[in-house]
């Protein structure tokens, strides 16, 4: 078994040699910013039922309940700051190593951290979308009154996120597919890898003979195909990888 230091060196070398490294992130990268994950020990899906809160049917049945839950999550997100994991990914992009981040997170923290190329697969909790006319609203704070109404037509706004049973927006999906089809390295950070299509992207890279580097506090569905699996927190491991790269 290699120790963490050796694994960090290995990851740094692979990244430096890469021609087109692409990253997929999940809730784990924002955990150190105080935003709960979904499936961990204190994960949201341990406390709440998906079918009550994160499906189109749930919203149709009880928009108030769904909005109350989103408003609570918005409070957490709006008071959160990017952590050293997000910032290390900004560094990797500025160094010309990381081409883009595809994220399943709806918190917007990669962009706030300073990453330029970010594909949000599951939408953004910072936006609402009208169920009648599709108008999009950017919230600068969680809505005071729920459910919020469309400023254009007065219709009901819904969170502009992807719920279970819904399709990924086609522009985001196409961009992500393009990126992972080109990539020779997939950096997989803080995701359980069980939600598709995100869980599939690292496989595209692996099947073409590219390398998969994973950082996670636990093994995930991606770990079996990882060339380098580093067990640890994103906020601790990613800055160490960046530091190593600077020394190569
Ligand atoms: P999960 O909650 O399923 O997984 C979070 C992963 O992060 C787990 O594998 C943890 O071990 C890992 N983790 C936790 N803290 C970490 C840390 N500090 N550093 C590194 N890793 C850490 O979250 P996702 O995989 O993002 O979708 O979930 C995917 C999708 O399922 C979400 O986008 C959401 C959810 O239902 C929708 O709502 C559509
Ligand atoms: Zn409207």
């Amino acid at each position: 078994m290699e120790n963490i230091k050796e694994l960090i060196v290995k990851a740094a070398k692979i990244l430096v040699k890469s021609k087109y490294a692409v990253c997929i992130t999940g809730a784990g990268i924002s955990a150190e910013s105080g935003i709960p994950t979904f499936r961990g020990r204190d994960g949201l899906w341990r406390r709440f039922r998906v079918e009550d809160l994160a499906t189109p049917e749930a919203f149709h049945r009880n928009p108030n309940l769904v909005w109350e839950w989103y408003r609570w999550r918005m409070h957490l997100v709006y008071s959160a700051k990017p952590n050293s994991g997000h910032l290390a990914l900004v560094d990797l992009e500025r160094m010309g190593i990381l081409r883009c981040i595809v994220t399943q997170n709806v918190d917007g923290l990669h962009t706030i951290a300073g990453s330029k190329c970010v594909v949000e697969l599951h939408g953004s909790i910072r936006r609402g979308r009208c169920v009648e006319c599709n108008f999009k609203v950017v919230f600068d704070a969680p809505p005071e009154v729920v459910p919020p109404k469309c400023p254009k037509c007065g219709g009901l706004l819904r969170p502009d996120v992807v719920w279970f049973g819904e399709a990924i927006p086609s522009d985001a999906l196409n961009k992500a597919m393009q990126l992972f089809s080109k990539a020779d390295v997939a950096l997989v950070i803080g995701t359980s890898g069980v939600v598709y299509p995100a869980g599939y992207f690292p496989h595209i890279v692996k099947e073409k003979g590219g390398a998969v580097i994973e950082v996670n506090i636990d093994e995930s569905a991606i770990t079996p195909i990882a060339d380098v699996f580093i067990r640890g927190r994103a906020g601790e491991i990613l800055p160490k990888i960046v530091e190593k790269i600077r020394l190569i």
Side-chain angles (χ1 to χ4, degrees):
M1 250 279 275
E2 291 159 292
N3 65 32
I4 297 257
K5 268 191 181 160
E6 285 165 345
L7 291 171
I8 286 169
V9 172
K10 204 167 169 183
K13 283 184 179 162
I14 293 173
L15 283 165
V16 167
K17 267 204 264 165
S18 71
K19 294 196 167 58
Y20 207 93
V22 170
C23 180
I24 173 91
T25 63
I29 196 163
S30 294
E32 289 158 85
S33 293
I35 299 174
T37 63
F38 294 96
R39 294 174 186 78
R41 205 165 6 103
D42 304 315
L44 294 173
W45 297 149
R46 302 259 168 150
R47 288 196 277 156
F48 302 102
R49 279 157 41 102
V50 169
E51 51 279 29
D52 291 340
L53 298 165
T55 66
E57 294 76 24
F59 187 72
H60 187 72
R61 249 190 336 259
N62 196 340
N64 265 39
L65 176 74
V66 171
W67 263 115
E68 287 294 355
W69 190 65
Y70 273 87
R71 181 161 65 168
W72 168 69
R73 287 181 57 205
M74 285 172 88
H75 276 290
L76 296 175
V77 164
Y78 279 72
S79 55
K81 289 193 184 65
N83 64 58
S84 47
H86 296 105
L87 296 174
L89 294 181
V90 178
D91 289 340
L92 283 179
E93 184 181 55
R94 290 196 181 141
M95 292 161 118
I97 291 174
L98 182 63
R99 302 303 177 116
C100 202
I101 299 167
V102 176
T103 187
Q104 301 165 84
N105 300 344
V106 295
D107 55 40
L109 289 182
H110 286 301
T111 304
I112 292 173
S115 287
K116 294 284 177 252
C117 185
V118 180
V119 178
E120 292 183 322
L121 273 186
H122 293 167
S124 171
I125 201 168
R126 295 171 191 266
R127 284 193 308 266
R129 183 174 90 227
C130 179
V131 298
E132 304 294 337
C133 76
N134 256 354
F135 185 73
K136 292 193 181 188
V137 176
V138 176
F139 295 109
D140 47 24
E144 274 168 29
V145 180
V146 293
K149 297 288 166 54
C150 173
K152 217 173 152 195
C153 79
L156 193 58
L157 289 181
R158 58 163 281 176
D160 193 18
V161 299
V162 176
W163 282 324
F164 284 87
E166 293 186 313
I168 306 285
S170 59
D171 50 345
L173 183 60
N174 291 339
K175 181 87 194 284
M177 285 298 294
Q178 259 173 27
L179 288 164
F180 279 91
S181 307
K182 264 195 192 173
D184 58 350
V185 173
L187 189 55
V188 183
I189 314 294
T191 179
S192 56
V194 298
V195 172
Y196 278 68
Y200 167 65
F201 297 145
H203 290 268
I204 303 178
V205 177
K206 187 74 181 181
E207 273 157 25
K208 283 184 317 177
V212 175
I213 301 171
E214 181 179 34
V215 179
N216 198 307
I217 54 169
D218 275 321
E219 288 181 14
S220 76
I222 309 296
T223 313
I225 64 156
D227 298 273
V228 182
F229 170 65
I230 310 179
R231 190 187 293 275
R233 291 195 204 149
E236 285 170 20
I237 303 295
L238 291 175
K240 286 187 181 157
I241 295 177
V242 169
E243 200 181 302
K244 261 301 161 244
I245 289 176
R246 291 197 205 277
L247 297 172
I248 291 177

PDB file of all heavy atoms in Angstrom, residues 178-203:
ATOM      1  N   GLN A 178     -18.674  16.278 -24.204  1.00  0.00           N
ATOM      2  CA  GLN A 178     -17.540  16.729 -25.037  1.00  0.00           C
ATOM      3  C   GLN A 178     -16.247  16.735 -24.236  1.00  0.00           C
ATOM      4  O   GLN A 178     -15.218  16.243 -24.679  1.00  0.00           O
ATOM      5  CB  GLN A 178     -17.778  18.168 -25.484  1.00  0.00           C
ATOM      6  CG  GLN A 178     -18.289  18.323 -26.896  1.00  0.00           C
ATOM      7  CD  GLN A 178     -18.648  19.799 -27.136  1.00  0.00           C
ATOM      8  OE1 GLN A 178     -18.073  20.703 -26.505  1.00  0.00           O
ATOM      9  NE2 GLN A 178     -19.597  20.036 -28.021  1.00  0.00           N
ATOM     10  N   LEU A 179     -16.308  17.316 -23.046  1.00  0.00           N
ATOM     11  CA  LEU A 179     -15.116  17.434 -22.200  1.00  0.00           C
ATOM     12  C   LEU A 179     -14.553  16.071 -21.843  1.00  0.00           C
ATOM     13  O   LEU A 179     -13.361  15.823 -21.977  1.00  0.00           O
ATOM     14  CB  LEU A 179     -15.455  18.203 -20.916  1.00  0.00           C
ATOM     15  CG  LEU A 179     -15.702  19.697 -21.077  1.00  0.00           C
ATOM     16  CD1 LEU A 179     -16.401  20.248 -19.837  1.00  0.00           C
ATOM     17  CD2 LEU A 179     -14.383  20.425 -21.299  1.00  0.00           C
ATOM     18  N   PHE A 180     -15.418  15.170 -21.378  1.00  0.00           N
ATOM     19  CA  PHE A 180     -14.923  13.862 -20.948  1.00  0.00           C
ATOM     20  C   PHE A 180     -14.515  12.992 -22.136  1.00  0.00           C
ATOM     21  O   PHE A 180     -13.682  12.097 -21.987  1.00  0.00           O
ATOM     22  CB  PHE A 180     -15.937  13.167 -20.025  1.00  0.00           C
ATOM     23  CG  PHE A 180     -15.840  13.687 -18.616  1.00  0.00           C
ATOM     24  CD1 PHE A 180     -16.619  14.754 -18.189  1.00  0.00           C
ATOM     25  CD2 PHE A 180     -14.914  13.147 -17.730  1.00  0.00           C
ATOM     26  CE1 PHE A 180     -16.498  15.268 -16.908  1.00  0.00           C
ATOM     27  CE2 PHE A 180     -14.782  13.651 -16.443  1.00  0.00           C
ATOM     28  CZ  PHE A 180     -15.580  14.712 -16.029  1.00  0.00           C
ATOM     29  N   SER A 181     -15.058  13.249 -23.307  1.00  0.00           N
ATOM     30  CA  SER A 181     -14.627  12.492 -24.485  1.00  0.00           C
ATOM     31  C   SER A 181     -13.216  12.909 -24.899  1.00  0.00           C
ATOM     32  O   SER A 181     -12.468  12.117 -25.458  1.00  0.00           O
ATOM     33  CB  SER A 181     -15.582  12.708 -25.657  1.00  0.00           C
ATOM     34  OG  SER A 181     -16.887  12.440 -25.242  1.00  0.00           O
ATOM     35  N   LYS A 182     -12.874  14.175 -24.635  1.00  0.00           N
ATOM     36  CA  LYS A 182     -11.541  14.679 -24.992  1.00  0.00           C
ATOM     37  C   LYS A 182     -10.503  14.365 -23.927  1.00  0.00           C
ATOM     38  O   LYS A 182      -9.312  14.368 -24.206  1.00  0.00           O
ATOM     39  CB  LYS A 182     -11.612  16.223 -25.050  1.00  0.00           C
ATOM     40  CG  LYS A 182     -11.825  16.809 -26.415  1.00  0.00           C
ATOM     41  CD  LYS A 182     -11.491  18.292 -26.282  1.00  0.00           C
ATOM     42  CE  LYS A 182     -11.909  19.093 -27.476  1.00  0.00           C
ATOM     43  NZ  LYS A 182     -11.718  20.530 -27.219  1.00  0.00           N
ATOM     44  N   ALA A 183     -10.955  14.161 -22.690  1.00  0.00           N
ATOM     45  CA  ALA A 183     -10.037  14.142 -21.544  1.00  0.00           C
ATOM     46  C   ALA A 183      -9.130  12.916 -21.516  1.00  0.00           C
ATOM     47  O   ALA A 183      -9.538  11.818 -21.897  1.00  0.00           O
ATOM     48  CB  ALA A 183     -10.834  14.201 -20.243  1.00  0.00           C
ATOM     49  N   ASP A 184      -7.881  13.128 -21.080  1.00  0.00           N
ATOM     50  CA  ASP A 184      -6.997  11.993 -20.816  1.00  0.00           C
ATOM     51  C   ASP A 184      -6.808  11.771 -19.311  1.00  0.00           C
ATOM     52  O   ASP A 184      -6.224  10.780 -18.902  1.00  0.00           O
ATOM     53  CB  ASP A 184      -5.641  12.145 -21.533  1.00  0.00           C
ATOM     54  CG  ASP A 184      -4.893  13.411 -21.136  1.00  0.00           C
ATOM     55  OD1 ASP A 184      -5.485  14.274 -20.448  1.00  0.00           O
ATOM     56  OD2 ASP A 184      -3.720  13.552 -21.523  1.00  0.00           O
ATOM     57  N   VAL A 185      -7.321  12.699 -18.502  1.00  0.00           N
ATOM     58  CA  VAL A 185      -7.335  12.500 -17.052  1.00  0.00           C
ATOM     59  C   VAL A 185      -8.678  12.974 -16.492  1.00  0.00           C
ATOM     60  O   VAL A 185      -9.150  14.060 -16.833  1.00  0.00           O
ATOM     61  CB  VAL A 185      -6.190  13.285 -16.348  1.00  0.00           C
ATOM     62  CG1 VAL A 185      -6.329  13.200 -14.832  1.00  0.00           C
ATOM     63  CG2 VAL A 185      -4.825  12.753 -16.763  1.00  0.00           C
ATOM     64  N   ALA A 186      -9.280  12.137 -15.648  1.00  0.00           N
ATOM     65  CA  ALA A 186     -10.492  12.538 -14.921  1.00  0.00           C
ATOM     66  C   ALA A 186     -10.121  12.662 -13.454  1.00  0.00           C
ATOM     67  O   ALA A 186      -9.636  11.712 -12.838  1.00  0.00           O
ATOM     68  CB  ALA A 186     -11.593  11.505 -15.102  1.00  0.00           C
ATOM     69  N   LEU A 187     -10.342  13.850 -12.917  1.00  0.00           N
ATOM     70  CA  LEU A 187     -10.119  14.098 -11.502  1.00  0.00           C
ATOM     71  C   LEU A 187     -11.500  14.033 -10.844  1.00  0.00           C
ATOM     72  O   LEU A 187     -12.396  14.810 -11.196  1.00  0.00           O
ATOM     73  CB  LEU A 187      -9.486  15.492 -11.374  1.00  0.00           C
ATOM     74  CG  LEU A 187      -8.949  15.972 -10.044  1.00  0.00           C
ATOM     75  CD1 LEU A 187      -7.932  15.001  -9.473  1.00  0.00           C
ATOM     76  CD2 LEU A 187      -8.298  17.354 -10.223  1.00  0.00           C
ATOM     77  N   VAL A 188     -11.678  13.110  -9.935  1.00  0.00           N
ATOM     78  CA  VAL A 188     -13.011  12.844  -9.361  1.00  0.00           C
ATOM     79  C   VAL A 188     -12.983  13.219  -7.890  1.00  0.00           C
ATOM     80  O   VAL A 188     -12.262  12.597  -7.100  1.00  0.00           O
ATOM     81  CB  VAL A 188     -13.368  11.344  -9.519  1.00  0.00           C
ATOM     82  CG1 VAL A 188     -14.781  11.067  -8.999  1.00  0.00           C
ATOM     83  CG2 VAL A 188     -13.227  10.904 -10.975  1.00  0.00           C
ATOM     84  N   ILE A 189     -13.732  14.251  -7.526  1.00  0.00           N
ATOM     85  CA  ILE A 189     -13.623  14.786  -6.165  1.00  0.00           C
ATOM     86  C   ILE A 189     -14.957  14.743  -5.414  1.00  0.00           C
ATOM     87  O   ILE A 189     -15.939  15.363  -5.834  1.00  0.00           O
ATOM     88  CB  ILE A 189     -13.166  16.269  -6.189  1.00  0.00           C
ATOM     89  CG1 ILE A 189     -11.995  16.509  -7.137  1.00  0.00           C
ATOM     90  CG2 ILE A 189     -12.845  16.762  -4.766  1.00  0.00           C
ATOM     91  CD1 ILE A 189     -10.719  15.838  -6.737  1.00  0.00           C
ATOM     92  N   GLY A 190     -14.980  14.025  -4.311  1.00  0.00           N
ATOM     93  CA  GLY A 190     -16.110  14.113  -3.379  1.00  0.00           C
ATOM     94  C   GLY A 190     -17.464  13.773  -3.948  1.00  0.00           C
ATOM     95  O   GLY A 190     -18.436  14.475  -3.672  1.00  0.00           O
ATOM     96  N   THR A 191     -17.510  12.693  -4.727  1.00  0.00           N
ATOM     97  CA  THR A 191     -18.824  12.241  -5.193  1.00  0.00           C
ATOM     98  C   THR A 191     -18.971  10.749  -4.943  1.00  0.00           C
ATOM     99  O   THR A 191     -18.000   9.992  -5.065  1.00  0.00           O
ATOM    100  CB  THR A 191     -19.065  12.568  -6.689  1.00  0.00           C
ATOM    101  OG1 THR A 191     -20.363  12.072  -7.052  1.00  0.00           O
ATOM    102  CG2 THR A 191     -18.015  11.966  -7.615  1.00  0.00           C
ATOM    103  N   SER A 192     -20.214  10.347  -4.601  1.00  0.00           N
ATOM    104  CA  SER A 192     -20.477   8.924  -4.398  1.00  0.00           C
ATOM    105  C   SER A 192     -20.468   8.189  -5.734  1.00  0.00           C
ATOM    106  O   SER A 192     -20.296   6.974  -5.771  1.00  0.00           O
ATOM    107  CB  SER A 192     -21.822   8.744  -3.695  1.00  0.00           C
ATOM    108  OG  SER A 192     -22.839   9.380  -4.444  1.00  0.00           O
ATOM    109  N   GLY A 193     -20.675   8.922  -6.822  1.00  0.00           N
ATOM    110  CA  GLY A 193     -20.629   8.315  -8.155  1.00  0.00           C
ATOM    111  C   GLY A 193     -21.821   7.429  -8.477  1.00  0.00           C
ATOM    112  O   GLY A 193     -21.798   6.688  -9.453  1.00  0.00           O
ATOM    113  N   VAL A 194     -22.861   7.538  -7.669  1.00  0.00           N
ATOM    114  CA  VAL A 194     -24.008   6.648  -7.895  1.00  0.00           C
ATOM    115  C   VAL A 194     -25.118   7.310  -8.705  1.00  0.00           C
ATOM    116  O   VAL A 194     -26.081   6.667  -9.101  1.00  0.00           O
ATOM    117  CB  VAL A 194     -24.602   6.111  -6.563  1.00  0.00           C
ATOM    118  CG1 VAL A 194     -23.570   5.274  -5.811  1.00  0.00           C
ATOM    119  CG2 VAL A 194     -25.125   7.233  -5.672  1.00  0.00           C
ATOM    120  N   VAL A 195     -24.991   8.630  -8.926  1.00  0.00           N
ATOM    121  CA  VAL A 195     -26.016   9.332  -9.699  1.00  0.00           C
ATOM    122  C   VAL A 195     -25.515   9.507 -11.133  1.00  0.00           C
ATOM    123  O   VAL A 195     -24.385   9.946 -11.354  1.00  0.00           O
ATOM    124  CB  VAL A 195     -26.375  10.684  -9.046  1.00  0.00           C
ATOM    125  CG1 VAL A 195     -27.299  11.507  -9.932  1.00  0.00           C
ATOM    126  CG2 VAL A 195     -27.031  10.464  -7.689  1.00  0.00           C
ATOM    127  N   TYR A 196     -26.354   9.121 -12.077  1.00  0.00           N
ATOM    128  CA  TYR A 196     -25.968   9.201 -13.488  1.00  0.00           C
ATOM    129  C   TYR A 196     -26.616  10.407 -14.135  1.00  0.00           C
ATOM    130  O   TYR A 196     -27.645  10.857 -13.662  1.00  0.00           O
ATOM    131  CB  TYR A 196     -26.352   7.886 -14.198  1.00  0.00           C
ATOM    132  CG  TYR A 196     -25.279   6.847 -13.954  1.00  0.00           C
ATOM    133  CD1 TYR A 196     -25.099   6.320 -12.667  1.00  0.00           C
ATOM    134  CD2 TYR A 196     -24.409   6.462 -14.967  1.00  0.00           C
ATOM    135  CE1 TYR A 196     -24.072   5.416 -12.407  1.00  0.00           C
ATOM    136  CE2 TYR A 196     -23.392   5.547 -14.710  1.00  0.00           C
ATOM    137  CZ  TYR A 196     -23.228   5.035 -13.436  1.00  0.00           C
ATOM    138  OH  TYR A 196     -22.205   4.161 -13.167  1.00  0.00           O
ATOM    139  N   PRO A 197     -26.012  10.998 -15.161  1.00  0.00           N
ATOM    140  CA  PRO A 197     -24.848  10.522 -15.897  1.00  0.00           C
ATOM    141  C   PRO A 197     -23.490  10.855 -15.248  1.00  0.00           C
ATOM    142  O   PRO A 197     -22.470  10.361 -15.719  1.00  0.00           O
ATOM    143  CB  PRO A 197     -24.965  11.256 -17.228  1.00  0.00           C
ATOM    144  CG  PRO A 197     -25.628  12.549 -16.880  1.00  0.00           C
ATOM    145  CD  PRO A 197     -26.576  12.233 -15.771  1.00  0.00           C
ATOM    146  N   ALA A 198     -23.463  11.663 -14.180  1.00  0.00           N
ATOM    147  CA  ALA A 198     -22.165  12.081 -13.613  1.00  0.00           C
ATOM    148  C   ALA A 198     -21.262  10.885 -13.296  1.00  0.00           C
ATOM    149  O   ALA A 198     -20.070  10.898 -13.577  1.00  0.00           O
ATOM    150  CB  ALA A 198     -22.403  12.916 -12.355  1.00  0.00           C
ATOM    151  N   GLY A 199     -21.868   9.826 -12.761  1.00  0.00           N
ATOM    152  CA  GLY A 199     -21.107   8.652 -12.375  1.00  0.00           C
ATOM    153  C   GLY A 199     -20.490   7.924 -13.564  1.00  0.00           C
ATOM    154  O   GLY A 199     -19.573   7.115 -13.398  1.00  0.00           O
ATOM    155  N   TYR A 200     -20.986   8.238 -14.743  1.00  0.00           N
ATOM    156  CA  TYR A 200     -20.505   7.576 -15.958  1.00  0.00           C
ATOM    157  C   TYR A 200     -19.277   8.266 -16.556  1.00  0.00           C
ATOM    158  O   TYR A 200     -18.438   7.614 -17.192  1.00  0.00           O
ATOM    159  CB  TYR A 200     -21.678   7.540 -16.959  1.00  0.00           C
ATOM    160  CG  TYR A 200     -21.317   7.173 -18.372  1.00  0.00           C
ATOM    161  CD1 TYR A 200     -20.823   5.908 -18.696  1.00  0.00           C
ATOM    162  CD2 TYR A 200     -21.472   8.103 -19.406  1.00  0.00           C
ATOM    163  CE1 TYR A 200     -20.494   5.579 -19.999  1.00  0.00           C
ATOM    164  CE2 TYR A 200     -21.137   7.785 -20.715  1.00  0.00           C
ATOM    165  CZ  TYR A 200     -20.650   6.522 -21.005  1.00  0.00           C
ATOM    166  OH  TYR A 200     -20.316   6.208 -22.287  1.00  0.00           O
ATOM    167  N   PHE A 201     -19.147   9.572 -16.353  1.00  0.00           N
ATOM    168  CA  PHE A 201     -18.077  10.350 -17.018  1.00  0.00           C
ATOM    169  C   PHE A 201     -16.666   9.781 -16.806  1.00  0.00           C
ATOM    170  O   PHE A 201     -15.917   9.661 -17.772  1.00  0.00           O
ATOM    171  CB  PHE A 201     -18.130  11.829 -16.618  1.00  0.00           C
ATOM    172  CG  PHE A 201     -19.388  12.538 -17.038  1.00  0.00           C
ATOM    173  CD1 PHE A 201     -19.951  13.526 -16.234  1.00  0.00           C
ATOM    174  CD2 PHE A 201     -20.013  12.228 -18.240  1.00  0.00           C
ATOM    175  CE1 PHE A 201     -21.116  14.172 -16.613  1.00  0.00           C
ATOM    176  CE2 PHE A 201     -21.178  12.874 -18.624  1.00  0.00           C
ATOM    177  CZ  PHE A 201     -21.729  13.850 -17.806  1.00  0.00           C
ATOM    178  N   PRO A 202     -16.275   9.435 -15.575  1.00  0.00           N
ATOM    179  CA  PRO A 202     -14.915   8.895 -15.411  1.00  0.00           C
ATOM    180  C   PRO A 202     -14.698   7.616 -16.232  1.00  0.00           C
ATOM    181  O   PRO A 202     -13.587   7.353 -16.685  1.00  0.00           O
ATOM    182  CB  PRO A 202     -14.832   8.606 -13.909  1.00  0.00           C
ATOM    183  CG  PRO A 202     -15.874   9.474 -13.289  1.00  0.00           C
ATOM    184  CD  PRO A 202     -16.979   9.576 -14.285  1.00  0.00           C
ATOM    185  N   HIS A 203     -15.761   6.846 -16.444  1.00  0.00           N
ATOM    186  CA  HIS A 203     -15.645   5.606 -17.230  1.00  0.00           C
ATOM    187  C   HIS A 203     -15.277   5.906 -18.681  1.00  0.00           C
ATOM    188  O   HIS A 203     -14.565   5.128 -19.312  1.00  0.00           O
ATOM    189  CB  HIS A 203     -16.963   4.813 -17.178  1.00  0.00           C
ATOM    190  CG  HIS A 203     -17.239   4.217 -15.830  1.00  0.00           C
ATOM    191  ND1 HIS A 203     -16.847   2.951 -15.477  1.00  0.00           N
ATOM    192  CD2 HIS A 203     -17.841   4.747 -14.739  1.00  0.00           C
ATOM    193  CE1 HIS A 203     -17.208   2.715 -14.223  1.00  0.00           C
ATOM    194  NE2 HIS A 203     -17.813   3.793 -13.756  1.00  0.00           N
TER     195      HIS A 203
END
